[in-house]
Amino acid sequence: MNPSDLEQLSCDEVAERLFGRVPSSSDWWSLERVSEKNFRLHEPRLRQILRVTSGFLVALHEVSTYQHAAEFAKKNRIRILQDRGLFLRGTSEVAIRCDGVPPIVSQGKERYRIEFSDGIEVTIAHASFLFQRLVALPSAEVNQTLPDPSVLTTLVMTGVDIDNATDVAERSLYALRDGFPDVSFDFVQLTAQNVLGEALDDVADQQDALQTSFATAHPWAIAFFNRAAESEPLAAFLYYYRVLEACFDLVIEKKLNAWRDNRTLDAQRLLKEVRSIARTEDTFALPQVLGQIVDQSMLDAALAAAVIDVASVDDLTDKIYLRRNEIAHGRRGQHQKVLVPYAFPLNASAERDMHWQSVMSLLARRAIEHWLQS
């Protein structure tokens, strides 16, 4: 089809001819003719109105593969993350799966909304028109089990830029899981199986809104926390440890400032203290981090689960550091224990792994709240 073929057609006829149906009043998109060759593409899901040409619409109609999508996106200044999402003019959209909530039945309705105190707004609803055409349809060529793109759910972030969209996505996922603990949220690749949430019975349409002041200068640590929640126990332990590790510089900075303020320390002694930390950063900083977030009830629970031998922060520190090494560096013949992520463990270590996952999840969450939240 040529762009000139659209000149005498109404907007409904253009939509029907190019995209197979006329958008209804409840759809996320609509067309408005401006002139013989120009249109406005209304994308309320993305909070945008795009001035487009007949050529744009025909080219969008012809997108069917990842290569086509990439070429179209490059020409129109759209950033595509192949089977996951897109970025356009301060708005980013990424595929997300929500388990534990009824499906969104009506187009044009947002199921979840987050308003961050820094002005960024995040919503979960059906995918935008551009997402369907540029991300979902090409993915359907690879994944034959992908459902109709119009029923896919996505998370849309407005007020972001190309540099912080990834960070905001992780903040959003953390806030959603924290604010709605009975629901499972996961970013998904459209080339994977089961990209939709559970098909639960329908209930009355309602929006779950969440206002949060949650912010952090360490969004990468939030990403590790989110991936830990999605991982098997041994990988999760290392991810949770990276969250604790994110606090180390804050602890060391606090200690250095205290030394600088101590006028009894001469330059030689100060240098000696700094070098002592550099040699033992983990073993110095970890007990400092834990000392601010661990309480007696947590120690008692860890002792009851046989995760530690003594209900003390020092023993918890030693056990965490030892387990980290057993997972990350353990070698048979060199270390007493070598921890392996077996898929179907039947020995006593499996239960122990689960206890450690629970302990580290709580520690990492408390570390975020105490050390990393702005």
Side-chain angles (χ1 to χ4, degrees):
M1 179 177 291
N2 296 315
S4 58
D5 295 336
L6 307 182
E7 292 179 2
Q8 304 302 319
L9 302 180
S10 68
C11 289
D12 286 351
E13 290 172 329
V14 170
E16 180 70 36
R17 183 79 61 87
L18 293 180
F19 308 116
R21 68 185 182 88
V22 177
S24 65
S25 59
S26 63
D27 278 330
W28 279 121
W29 68 284
S30 63
L31 278 178
E32 176 190 357
R33 184 180 286 280
V34 177
S35 65
E36 192 175 64
K37 298 181 179 179
N38 295 283
F39 297 81
R40 290 191 183 96
L41 174 59
H42 293 257
E43 274 276 27
R45 179 78 178 102
L46 300 177
R47 306 289 197 271
Q48 299 200 28
I49 301 175
L50 308 178
R51 289 184 62 89
V52 300
T53 64
S54 299
F56 176 101
L57 295 176
V58 170
L60 183 61
H61 155 74
E62 293 174 347
V63 170
S64 61
T65 67
Y66 286 140
Q67 182 178 349
H68 293 160
E71 293 171 353
F72 179 92
K74 185 176 181 179
K75 290 179 181 178
N76 292 282
R77 299 182 181 180
I78 303 172
R79 182 71 64 90
I80 294 289
L81 183 57
Q82 195 160 289
D83 63 344
R84 301 189 188 187
L86 59 81
F87 176 87
L88 171 66
R89 301 181 186 178
T91 300
S92 188
E93 182 174 16
V94 61
I96 193 169
R97 179 177 58 212
C98 312
D99 279 339
V101 296
I104 306 169
V105 177
S106 302
Q107 291 282 341
K109 289 186 179 293
E110 294 164 345
R111 177 72 202 198
Y112 288 93
R113 179 191 298 272
I114 306 175
E115 295 178 359
F116 288 104
S117 56
D118 55 5
I120 292 174
E121 181 184 82
V122 177
T123 58
I124 292 179
H126 282 126
S128 71
F129 179 61
L130 285 179
F131 184 97
Q132 293 177 39
R133 304 299 305 188
L134 297 178
V135 182
L137 283 178
S139 295
E141 293 295 310
V142 178
N143 180 8
Q144 301 298 318
T145 69
L146 193 69
D148 187 316
S150 66
V151 302
L152 295 175
T153 50
T154 59
L155 180 141
V156 168
M157 300 163 279
T158 56
V160 298
D161 56 50
I162 198 66
D163 294 319
N164 74 352
T166 299
D167 297 342
V168 173
E170 296 295 347
R171 281 172 57 194
S172 301
L173 187 61
Y174 180 87
L176 284 164
R177 289 173 173 172
D178 187 55
F180 306 103
D182 295 331
V183 182
S184 172
F185 299 94
D186 295 285
F187 293 132
V188 292
Q189 296 173 259
L190 298 187
T191 49
Q193 303 294 314
N194 301 320
V195 299
L196 288 178
E198 293 176 325
L200 303 183
D201 293 335
D202 183 25
V203 296
D205 271 319
Q206 61 184 40
Q207 183 188 83
D208 291 306
L210 176 67
Q211 291 184 327
T212 177
S213 60
F214 175 71
T216 179
H218 303 80
W220 59 271
I222 306 304
F224 277 116
F225 184 92
N226 290 338
R227 298 299 82 73
E230 301 159 5
S231 302
E232 53 81 28
L234 296 191
F237 182 95
L238 294 180
Y239 283 147
Y240 285 133
Y241 187 86
R242 290 300 305 272
V243 178
L244 300 179
E245 205 172 44
C247 309
F248 288 2
D249 285 351
L250 301 176
V251 168
I252 293 173
E253 181 182 359
K254 184 178 180 180
K255 190 66 175 179
L256 288 175
N257 289 336
W259 282 336
R260 289 194 188 100
D261 294 338
N262 186 352
R263 299 185 180 278
T264 64
L265 286 179
D266 57 27
Q268 185 175 4
R269 187 179 171 191
L270 177 59
L271 184 59
K272 179 181 178 181
E273 297 287 5
V274 171
R275 284 173 174 168
S276 69
I277 292 180
R279 288 194 299 269
T280 60
E281 180 179 321
D282 284 20
T283 54
F284 169 81
L286 183 56
Q288 307 293 322
V289 171
L290 297 182
Q292 298 295 316
I293 60 178
V294 172
D295 56 32
Q296 192 59 47
S297 64
M298 185 176 181
L299 292 171
D300 291 341
L303 180 63
V307 167
I308 57 179
D309 299 323
V310 181
S312 70
V313 172
D314 288 341
D315 193 55
L316 180 60
T317 300
D318 292 343
K319 295 298 191 297
I320 289 175
Y321 193 66
L322 176 63
R323 185 173 177 83
R324 165 194 176 271
N325 291 337
E326 290 171 346
I327 298 172
H329 307 298
R331 294 182 180 178
R332 296 188 184 279
Q334 295 185 26
H335 297 85
Q336 184 176 0
K337 288 184 179 180
V338 179
L339 299 181
V340 181
Y342 293 116
F344 188 54
L346 292 174
N347 54 26
S349 66
E351 185 175 358
R352 185 179 177 83
D353 290 346
M354 298 303 295
H355 286 314
W356 265 116
Q357 189 171 24
S358 177
V359 168
M360 291 298 288
S361 174
L362 180 57
L363 286 174
R365 181 176 291 279
R366 289 187 178 184
I368 291 171
E369 295 171 352
H370 181 85
W371 290 101
L372 305 178
Q373 187 166 336
S374 301

